[in-house]
Amino acid sequence: MTNNPPNTLPASLELGVIGNGSIAALIDPHGSIVWCCLPRFDADASFCKLLSPKIDGGEWAIELEDFERAEQNYLPNTAVLVTRLFDTHGGAIEIVDFAPRNRSLGRMYHPVMLARKISPLSGSPRIRVKLQPLCDYGSQPASTTYGSNHVRYMLSETVQRLTSDVATPLIERSLPFSLDRPAHFVFGPDETLSESPADFIHLALERTQAYWRDWVRNLSIPYEWQEAVIRAAITLKLCQYEATGAIVAALTTSIPEAPGTARNWDYRYCWLRDSAFTVRTLNRLGVTNTMEDYIRYVFNLAVVEGDDEVGPVFGITFERELHERQVKGLAGYRGMGPVRVGNDAWQQRQNDAYGSVVLSSAQLFFDRRIEHRGDAIMFKRLERMGTAALRMAEQPDAGLWEFRGRASVHTYSAAMCWAACDRLAHIATELGLDDRARYWHHEAIELHARIEARAWNATLGYFVDAYDGENLDASLLLLSDIGFIEANDPRFVATVDAIGAALGRGNYLFRYIAPDDFGTPETSFNICTFWYIEAMASTGREEQARAMFENMLSKRNALGLLSEDLAPGSGEHWGNYPQTYSLVGMIQAAMRLSRRWEEAL
């Protein structure tokens, strides 16, 4: 085999995702694992080929000799990915990739483990297994030791053991061999398997498929676009770190928002805003356990005594400080550095965080399916978010777009603080706490009036992005969704029209167009396009909204996923991946636009 086999791909976001709530891996169309952080989402990237390591390695490739073509799909309603590779002689192999997940002994079994099964389908295929994890973000190879049937890899933060029924020297030296029977690979904790790799993978695969199909069966999906919604929902679930309940914004770092831009950030952390969107969306699909796990995370971290302010983003294992640095071992996506680890947004003031916490918690007090519903004690703790919201609502902040060089009293931040007060009033009423209900209702009314007075620009005839401002941004499309204004209010309709005219580029929407700390944005922001689609539907233009939605579905990658941004001209994906924001937007737009089941059947 050559050193540069023909099935080597340039970096792209045509990637599948597998995971189990402990780890996640990104797999390219030829079955190579090109991104995986171990032993958790925000740890060192042991597989980092996606970001161009400067030394050889950083991937787990299955190379087929004389490769000709590939095809790839998920097993229906699961997070199990199947890749088929075909050679020029009629030979073919199948790679089945998954991370084990199932219920066992009364708890969830989701180890730090990747499982791969490679089977011959036809002909006499020859393959090479290239398993080369790196340490310290691509700076050096992992040290290894070998046993008769396993290889141990000393990674930066963990030790992983590969157990296989393929001869160890073939793996150690990446030698080619004929695949005349299925080969099994278990890359997991440094422990001895109690059974053969074949038996382990057979049972783990069976149980993992059963888990995901049962999970999907309980989703309350819309009648239309079911496959798109299911795939997006599964992927959102894969972005929750189950040990703590934290939900990451994306699984990657430093995928630039546009070619050659310095806008490339580490999204492997838990933003209160992004997570609230994810929780509320999964709630609408009936997945309330994600909310319960996430609320435990938030209450263990953000809703505590003595906090004057709450930061916008935290580490998935409760870190409050996420110091940003640039790593030297990775050249970046397609060589477009720098590659960043950490995110200095933790130091920012983003005042919508208070509303995000309350909105993501509110259903706990009303949903009778939930075993441990919100009570007066939880409400009292949540009131701290309301008190902070009142104090911070009209203070300058970086806003939800995290401006690094300026601050304003952003309309969306203030409106989310209003939403915190409004929902606390509803919760207090539900709990029979009449005095607190009156208090929060009064504060909400007063704050609402102040926001309207400063955020409505009568001269321009629409709401603006900041107090007494003149600019537009896409977050104003959410004013109706959070209940700040009715969708049929002429002021909201006018704002939607103005945003479409100013921020729209064909079928796509920019979050804003005014230059920021890094210049003028170059790509559309996917969730903003979905917000615009929803706003169009809610203001009576459903036919146009459906056309835009169908266009966005056509821009997903081959496996039905989206990154953060799209280039309006080419439709190419940019920004971190898979982006929970984008998947949330897709699901919510589908649910708003779909015909109801009773209308369709």
Side-chain angles (χ1 to χ4, degrees), residues 231-529:
R231 182 53 48 203
I234 289 174
T235 309
L236 288 180
K237 181 65 175 172
L238 295 180
C239 290
Q240 182 171 45
Y241 184 61
E242 197 157 312
T244 62
I247 301 169
V248 296
L251 295 171
T252 58
T253 178
S254 304
I255 308 296
E257 295 178 13
T261 183
R263 302 172 190 268
N264 58 347
W265 315 109
D266 192 347
Y267 277 13
R268 300 171 300 156
Y269 306 110
C270 184
W271 272 260
L272 299 182
R273 174 193 317 110
D274 301 50
S275 300
F277 277 108
T278 299
V279 165
R280 292 173 64 202
T281 298
L282 290 176
N283 283 349
R284 293 176 186 178
L285 293 173
V287 187
T288 57
N289 59 340
T290 296
M291 170 183 61
E292 295 177 81
D293 292 342
Y294 172 67
I295 296 306
R296 280 195 292 272
Y297 168 82
V298 170
F299 274 64
N300 280 329
L301 185 62
V303 187
V304 295
E305 294 279 5
D307 268 10
D308 293 330
E309 295 185 30
V310 171
V313 57
F314 300 91
I316 63 173
T317 49
F318 305 110
E319 296 84 359
R320 292 174 176 269
E321 299 182 0
L322 304 171
H323 295 282
E324 190 174 300
R325 62 186 176 92
Q326 296 179 13
V327 299
K328 298 179 180 180
L330 300 172
Y333 181 73
R334 299 183 186 172
M336 300 175 189
V339 171
R340 308 177 199 269
V341 172
N343 197 307
D344 281 342
W346 70 272
Q347 301 181 73
Q348 290 187 347
R349 173 184 289 171
Q350 297 177 27
N351 294 332
D352 64 299
Y354 308 104
S356 295
V357 172
V358 176
L359 263 63
S360 62
S361 307
Q363 190 163 334
L364 281 173
F365 296 87
F366 296 92
D367 194 329
R368 296 188 179 276
R369 297 171 298 171
I370 296 171
E371 183 177 357
H372 302 291
R373 294 177 61 202
D375 56 16
I377 295 174
M378 183 178 288
F379 172 74
K380 186 175 181 180
R381 296 179 69 189
L382 205 57
E383 279 192 296
R384 297 179 198 138
M385 293 292 99
T387 300
L390 283 174
R391 186 173 67 252
M392 304 304 299
E394 296 171 284
Q395 297 296 317
D397 74 345
L400 83 164
W401 306 127
E402 301 187 339
F403 295 117
R404 293 200 169 196
R406 66 173 187 257
S408 303
V409 181
H410 288 97
T411 300
Y412 177 75
S413 296
M416 284 294 287
C417 289
W418 165 84
C421 301
D422 177 74
R423 301 317 192 269
L424 286 169
H426 287 297
I427 294 168
T429 299
E430 174 70 12
L431 295 175
L433 304 173
D434 296 341
D435 289 346
R436 302 312 297 162
R438 285 191 293 271
Y439 171 80
W440 287 113
H441 181 65
H442 171 76
E443 295 294 347
I445 289 175
E446 295 288 318
L447 178 56
H448 192 283
R450 296 196 299 273
I451 296 170
E452 279 191 314
R454 300 287 297 278
W456 171 256
N457 188 313
T459 302
L460 296 174
Y462 48 75
F463 285 101
V464 288
D465 66 337
Y467 273 21
D468 306 321
E470 297 182 349
N471 293 324
L472 290 160
D473 82 52
S475 66
L476 299 169
L477 297 168
L478 295 172
L479 293 180
S480 172
D481 182 68
I482 65 174
F484 185 85
I485 191 171
E486 293 293 331
N488 60 3
D489 188 305
R491 295 173 299 170
F492 182 68
V493 175
T495 302
V496 173
D497 290 343
I499 287 173
L503 307 185
R505 298 293 183 273
N507 286 315
Y508 310 100
L509 201 79
F510 280 54
R511 49 189 163 175
Y512 52 85
I513 56 172
D516 60 15
D517 324 55
F518 300 93
T520 302
E522 301 173 53
T523 51
S524 63
F525 206 68
N526 290 329
I527 195 171
C528 296
T529 303

Side-chain angles (χ1 to χ4, degrees), residues 6 8 72 90 93 156 181 234 300 331 342 357 361 399 405 528 583 591 600:
T8 297
Q72 195 172 55
I93 66 170
S156 297
R181 70 194 70 182
I234 289 174
N300 280 329
V357 172
S361 307
C528 296
L583 300 175
M591 296 185 76

